[in-house]
Amino acid sequence: MPSRPIGVFDSGVGGLSVLRALRAELPHEDFVYLADSGFAPYGERDEAFVVARARAITHHLLHGEDQPIKALVMACNTATAAAIHLLRRDHPGLPIIGVEPALKPAVAASQTHHIGVMATRGTLASQKFKALLASLDGQAQFFCQPCDGLADAIEHNDTPNISALCARYLQAGGPFGVHPGEMDTLVLGCTHYPFARAQWQALLPAGVLIIDNGAPVARQARRVLTHHASEDHIGQITLRSTGDPDLLAQAASRWLGLTVSAQSRHL
Ligand code: DGL
C-alpha cells in the first residue's frame, strides 16, 4: 500500500523554501503543497482570518480528493503563530510541524548579541512570538522589523520592489556588521524571505549571518513522522494553488527545479 503524503501549506509560494528542505531530508516521501495565494498575504490580515484559512486548508488536505495526509507542515510563520495550537486541538492524531523565527539559533550564533529579525506584522504581533522573545530576555538585543509588502513582492517575483523593500527594512534598524554594538545576525522570520537571499546578502556587510528555518523544520518533520515511505519509492510532489497556479509552478521551477504543473483549487 502506498504511503500517505505529507501536507505542506503557506499563504503562497514562500513555503516552497521549506518544501525544498523537506525534499532534501525526506526524498522518498510524497508531498502535497498548497499555496493559498488567492488569500495572500496573511501577514497583514487579522488572526481570525488566518485561523479560518489554516482550518479550511487542513480540512482539504485531510478530506479532499487525495489520500488523507499523514502529517502537516505549516510552512508559514504567520499561520503557525496564529493557528498551530488550534489545529493541534482540532486534530489530536495528526503530527503537525510549524515554523517560527529562528531566534534561538541566532542567539547561539551571534557574537555581538545584536540580532535583526524580519517577519510579517502578524507574526511579530502574535502572542506566540512575544512569548518566544520573552523566553530569550537578556540573552541578546533584538530589532524586529515588520516587512509589509515584501511577501507580496516575492509572491509576484517583482525583483525591483524586492530589492527596494529589503533595503528599506534593513536601513530601518541599527547598523548591521560584525563590530560590537552592530547586528551580526539576520533572522528571516517569514518563509518567503529566503527567496530574497541574494538581495539581503548584497545589502549586508560581509560577515553578517543570515538564518532561516527550512532545514531545522525538515529535521523535525523526520523526527515526528511515525510512518516513513519505502526507500524504493521516489517522492512525488503535487502542487495546488487557490490563486494563479502558473505563478506557483513557475516559482517551483525557478527555485526548486521542479517541472510539475500546478492545479487550481477553490477552498
Ligand atoms: N510566508 C508567510 C510566513 O512565513 C507569510 C507571508 C504572508 O502571507 O504575509 O509568515
Side-chain angles (χ1 to χ4, degrees), residues 117-254:
V117 183
M118 301 291 166
T120 68
R121 190 165 288 281
T123 296
L124 296 179
S126 68
Q127 288 309 318
K128 198 165 186 299
F129 182 75
K130 286 179 184 156
L132 176 64
L133 259 190
S135 74
L136 298 168
D137 192 31
Q139 297 188 44
Q141 287 210 21
F142 294 98
F143 160 71
C144 300
Q145 175 64 43
C147 299
D148 292 353
L150 182 54
D152 197 46
I154 293 169
E155 192 71 23
H156 296 96
N157 200 31
D158 178 353
T159 314
N161 209 10
I162 295 170
S163 298
L165 289 171
C166 288
R168 182 196 303 170
Y169 293 135
L170 285 178
Q171 279 157 18
F176 282 88
V178 296
H179 305 294
E182 295 178 337
M183 292 186 276
D184 66 350
T185 308
L186 178 67
V187 175
L188 303 182
C190 166
T191 54
H192 280 71
Y193 303 168
F195 292 127
R197 185 173 271 269
Q199 284 91 341
W200 297 116
Q201 201 94 61
L203 291 158
L204 287 166
V208 174
L209 184 66
I210 301 177
I211 296 186
D212 75 74
N213 248 352
V217 167
R219 287 196 293 275
Q220 176 66 1
R222 167 187 282 285
R223 277 193 293 273
V224 306
L225 268 190
T226 44
H227 294 93
H228 290 267
S230 152
E231 299 212 345
D232 300 333
H233 181 72
I234 299 170
Q236 306 293 314
I237 313 284
T238 302
L239 299 176
R240 297 211 173 112
S241 174
T242 60
D244 181 352
D246 293 340
L247 272 188
L248 175 60
Q250 284 157 17
S253 160
R254 182 166 56 245

Side-chain angles (χ1 to χ4, degrees), residues 10-11 41-43 75-78 120 123 151 189-192:
D10 178 43
S11 64
Y42 284 176
C76 176
N77 293 263
T78 313
T120 68
T123 296
C190 166
T191 54
H192 280 71

Side-chain angles (χ1 to χ4, degrees), residues 5-154:
I6 298 171
V8 182
F9 83 89
D10 178 43
S11 64
V13 300
L16 291 172
S17 64
V18 178
L19 182 64
R20 181 168 59 188
L22 286 164
R23 287 183 74 220
E25 185 74 27
L26 297 162
H28 306 293
E29 301 292 343
D30 293 339
F31 293 96
V32 180
Y33 182 91
L34 195 300
D36 200 18
S37 302
F39 297 85
Y42 284 176
E44 293 147 50
R45 310 271 197 155
D46 66 43
E47 205 167 274
F49 177 90
V50 177
V51 168
R53 292 311 303 157
R55 283 190 157 135
I57 291 163
T58 308
H59 186 269
H60 168 78
L61 293 169
L62 281 169
H63 306 292
E65 62 236 74
D66 312 293
Q67 295 205 74
I69 54 169
K70 63 180 177 183
L72 177 67
V73 178
M74 303 177 74
C76 176
N77 293 263
T78 313
T80 300
I84 194 168
H85 56 296
L86 300 172
L87 292 185
R88 284 185 172 144
R89 200 183 62 194
D90 295 351
H91 307 283
L94 180 70
I96 301 180
I97 300 105
V99 284
E100 66 179 12
L103 265 48
K104 290 174 199 163
V107 166
S110 175
Q111 301 293 310
T112 63
H113 310 295
H114 284 67
I115 294 166
V117 183
M118 301 291 166
T120 68
R121 190 165 288 281
T123 296
L124 296 179
S126 68
Q127 288 309 318
K128 198 165 186 299
F129 182 75
K130 286 179 184 156
L132 176 64
L133 259 190
S135 74
L136 298 168
D137 192 31
Q139 297 188 44
Q141 287 210 21
F142 294 98
F143 160 71
C144 300
Q145 175 64 43
C147 299
D148 292 353
L150 182 54
D152 197 46
I154 293 169

